[in-house]
Amino acid sequence: MNDFPILTLVLLVPLVGAAVVGLMPTREGVDDRPKQVGLIFSVLTLIIGVVIAAAYKVGDGGMQLTETHDWVPAFGVHYALGLDGLGLLMVLLTVALVPLVLLAAWTDADGADAKRFVAWTLALEALSLTVFAATDVFLFYVVFEATLIPAYFLVGGFGRKNRSAAALKFLMFQLGGGLVLLGSVIGLYVVSAQQGSPSYLYSDLQALDISTDAGRWLFAGFFIAFAIKAPLFPVHTWLADTTEQATPPTSVLLVCILDKIGTFGMLRFCLGLFPEASEWATPLVIVLALISIVYGAFVAIGQDDILRLIGLTSLSHFGFITLGIFVFTAQGATGSILYMVNHGIATAALFFAAGFLIKRRGTTLISQMGGLEKVTPVLAGLFLVAGLATLGLPGLSQFVSEILVLIAAFDYAWYVGAIAVSGIVLAAVYVLWAYQRMMTGPNPAGLQAELDADAQGEGVRDLTRRELVVLAPLTAALVLFGFYPAPLLDVSNPTVYSLLDNAGVADDGPDVPVGTHAEEGDH
């Protein structure tokens, strides 16, 4: 397995799938062939992802399954791939969610529209996997920017009437961040060329002796780009507009996969390449993270559009992730990595359940729902489980992530932890109040007639088998990792300790508990 380019294979399969679907002839009427072909390729990618996980040696904090080939030798550019624990978890999250996205969107479009949606989805999967596996900074930058192409067409081509404006706003923010990142990427070339032969390999860049001023300027370019991608306050305004106008499956791709590139990049590149600058910027970053936590939660409470509400909750959650990264402790960094995984699972379940509700009601407005648990009890129950996971209920996976981040926040400063805790309190408000308005209480005008029709076999229905297949594994994962997070900890801990050791940070806090594959003394 060490010599077999399995990472290249996992990138190529969805890319080939996108090409095959895109080149398929379009037939008149209902044609499920593009969806079926796309689903087959996404499942094949998932299987390869499982093989990668099986080949990964848990407990090793370094890069594994590496591939390195010269690409542009004159500029030190390589086609270089590899995975550590952070990259592996992001790859597994991506390959697990894409088949569910295709299933959830099965009835959203037909014909040419379905073909375009499936092709762009597979293309985005391939590019996202490349981002998470890239160990050459130039390669990372190229695919970082390339992800915008399928994302733009997914937002602008499918969704509600203002989707074109939302797609343009999304693109402008992301391109702005990409231009700033390009400046830092060029700066890394200059620094590496001054100290010998230029190289963009992550391992070579870690060995550079970067001056304090240069490191801080380069850090700023990387951090700004990742803060927009995540996003963080105050460069977050594209997020709610995008999730409001895009289809729920597209929002899953954006919020649960693509936006993770932002916090992934903070861990991999900001801490990995610029540890001194990261510590220097910590006070400002923590302030931005706390504002994101509280502001995102407050604004979410007042939303009447369920898709916009879920988008704003993610602003609050990305604040938690960023806070955990920049407190520079094992608990915080491990909590952030787990948060990235668990947020992807819980938020995907929320978007999918909300999309199924919207199809039944024909509206995204919470005020026009109500009483739906009477006729869709299974859907209401699974929506509630996802919501409870979002607010950090003990026994569900996101609680583990939040408690680790909060421990680290209180260890950093009691007032930082106290402000962060308010985000959990506010989360309980926006989740439970939204559930109450949507699922319980009296039926709004027009819904009672549909409920009466349902009694005669027509009208609003509960989940179909296809929809259950989408939500059931996500719900199971929320419960499983809530009670047994050890597999995630086993994979993430070595990477965290490696990052902290590279940063020269003495972590005096208690070790994060691990499972059977790693021991406290490993770091």
Side-chain angles (χ1 to χ4, degrees):
M1 184 63 73
N2 290 335
D3 297 328
F4 185 78
I6 192 168
L7 293 183
T8 294
L9 180 63
V10 80
L11 313 179
L12 284 178
V13 169
L15 195 61
V16 171
V20 170
V21 171
L23 293 174
M24 292 178 66
T26 303
R27 292 181 178 178
E28 295 293 333
V30 177
D31 183 10
D32 287 339
R33 291 179 309 143
K35 305 172 192 176
Q36 294 166 349
V37 172
L39 184 61
I40 290 170
F41 274 96
S42 69
V43 172
L44 284 175
T45 307
L46 173 58
I47 293 171
I48 299 171
V50 173
V51 173
I52 289 173
Y56 186 85
K57 296 178 181 178
V58 175
D60 185 350
M63 292 291 177
Q64 301 183 36
L65 306 173
T66 55
E67 305 172 28
T68 304
H69 307 280
D70 287 338
W71 185 9
V72 188
F75 294 100
V77 178
H78 303 77
Y79 172 78
L81 305 176
L83 290 179
D84 58 4
L86 171 62
L88 175 65
L89 291 177
M90 292 300 98
V91 165
L92 291 178
L93 178 66
T94 302
V95 299
L97 287 180
V98 169
L100 301 181
V101 166
L102 295 177
L103 279 175
W106 198 267
T107 60
D108 288 355
D110 286 306
D113 287 340
K115 187 173 73 170
R116 285 194 296 269
F117 179 86
V118 173
W120 288 126
T121 296
L122 292 174
L124 183 59
E125 179 182 24
L127 293 170
S128 298
L129 291 172
T130 310
V131 167
F132 295 134
T135 57
D136 179 281
V137 171
F138 190 85
L139 174 64
F140 171 86
Y141 172 75
V142 170
V143 288
F144 177 88
E145 291 290 84
T147 57
L148 300 182
I149 299 172
Y152 172 79
F153 285 105
L154 284 167
V155 175
F158 310 90
R160 298 161 71 180
K161 62 179 181 179
N162 293 324
R163 60 184 182 272
S164 296
L168 182 61
K169 186 175 184 179
F170 163 80
L171 187 63
M172 292 298 101
F173 268 85
Q174 303 299 326
L175 285 176
L179 288 174
V180 176
L181 178 59
L182 177 60
S184 287
V185 171
I186 294 172
L188 280 175
Y189 169 82
V190 173
V191 172
S192 67
Q194 290 174 343
Q195 299 185 27
S197 50
S199 174
Y200 275 113
L201 281 177
Y202 182 74
S203 56
D204 292 343
L205 294 175
Q206 279 190 308
L208 291 178
D209 182 16
I210 303 176
S211 68
T212 299
D213 289 342
R216 291 177 179 181
W217 280 108
L218 294 174
F219 163 85
F222 276 85
F223 179 77
I224 290 171
F226 297 148
I228 293 173
K229 179 72 74 174
L232 274 185
F233 179 92
V235 287
H236 66 282
T237 56
W238 62 268
L239 177 62
D241 291 343
T242 302
T243 58
E244 180 183 21
Q245 297 299 323
T247 65
T250 296
S251 294
V252 170
L253 294 171
L254 296 181
V255 177
C256 302
I257 297 176
L258 194 63
D259 290 358
K260 296 297 184 298
I261 295 173
T263 46
F264 170 88
M266 292 178 193
L267 279 163
R268 173 61 54 79
F269 298 106
C270 292
L271 268 63
L273 298 181
F274 315 109
E276 186 280 333
S278 297
E279 281 199 88
W280 165 75
T282 288
L284 174 60
V285 176
I286 287 179
V287 169
L288 296 178
L290 292 175
I291 294 174
S292 298
I293 291 169
V294 178
Y295 174 79
F298 259 121
V299 177
I301 291 173
Q303 299 304 310
D304 190 39
D305 188 293
I306 184 59
L307 297 180
R308 191 175 185 87
L309 184 152
I310 298 173
L312 286 166
T313 67
S314 293
L315 171 62
S316 183
H317 295 313
F318 280 112
F320 274 107
I321 297 171
T322 305
L323 175 63
I325 293 171
F326 280 88
V327 293
F328 280 89
T329 66
Q331 304 99 310
T334 301
S336 293
I337 294 175
L338 265 64
Y339 215 128
M340 291 164 68
V341 176
N342 295 326
H343 170 268
I345 298 170
T347 304
L350 275 179
F351 271 122
F352 287 142
F356 299 152
L357 285 169
I358 292 166
K359 288 179 183 177
R360 285 157 171 76
R361 289 295 298 123
T363 180
T364 62
L365 298 181
I366 296 172
S367 58
Q368 295 184 16
M369 299 186 190
L372 285 171
E373 68 177 6
K374 301 172 185 176
V375 67
T376 59
V378 176
L379 176 53
L382 294 180
F383 181 88
L384 179 61
V385 171
L388 293 175
T390 297
L391 62 84
L393 182 74
L396 297 175
S397 61
Q398 201 151 300
F399 169 77
V400 181
S401 316
E402 288 185 347
I403 200 67
L404 287 172
V405 171
L406 290 174
I407 289 171
F410 276 106
D411 189 49
Y412 179 84
W414 70 266
Y415 51 87
V416 171
I419 295 172
V421 165
S422 69
I424 298 178
V425 177
L426 295 171
V429 176
Y430 63 65
V431 168
L432 296 178
W433 192 35
Y435 180 84
Q436 181 185 39
R437 288 181 290 164
M438 293 169 65
M439 304 298 182
T440 67
N443 303 323
L447 179 58
Q448 187 59 51
E450 294 186 47
L451 297 179
D452 293 340
D454 183 68
Q456 301 176 10
E458 302 174 357
V460 180
R461 294 294 189 90
D462 210 341
L463 291 175
T464 65
R465 282 178 292 183
R466 173 182 58 83
E467 293 167 337
L468 275 172
V469 169
V470 171
L471 289 176
L474 297 174
T475 306
L478 292 176
V479 176
L480 172 64
F481 294 132
F483 283 96
Y484 186 62
L488 301 181
L489 293 170
D490 286 339
V491 172
S492 61
N493 277 345
T495 298
V496 167
Y497 295 133
S498 178
L499 277 171
L500 293 179
D501 288 344
N502 176 72
V505 175
D507 178 19
D508 298 325
D511 288 334
V512 179
V514 295
T516 58
H517 296 287
E519 301 295 335
E520 291 180 1
D522 286 350
H523 67 286

